[in-house]
Amino acid sequence: MCLSTVYKNTMTPESVVMRNVMRIECKDGCVIITDLMERQMAIEGELVQANLVDGFVIVQERG
């Protein structure tokens, strides 16, 4: 199983949005992320990079 940490805008410790993300959906201008505990969060923006080998995802927030 590949789990990832999602970062907002840049990959820094203070920009972590959610850890142990198992599902990512892009819908209507939002990136919807879901973790192992089925908690969801929606970020207005776009997926910039997903590296599943290294376990990170970067989402660029619209703003």
Side-chain angles (χ1 to χ4, degrees), residues 4 49-57:
S4 295
Q49 182 179 8
N51 186 323
L52 302 180
V53 172
D54 291 331
F56 71 86
V57 175

Side-chain angles (χ1 to χ4, degrees), residues 18 28 51:
M18 186 180 283
D28 300 325
N51 186 323

Side-chain angles (χ1 to χ4, degrees), residues 34-52:
T34 307
D35 73 2
L36 273 175
M37 303 301 290
E38 295 289 329
R39 293 177 289 218
Q40 283 192 335
M41 178 183 288
I43 304 167
E44 280 192 48
E46 63 182 358
L47 183 65
V48 173
Q49 182 179 8
N51 186 323
L52 302 180

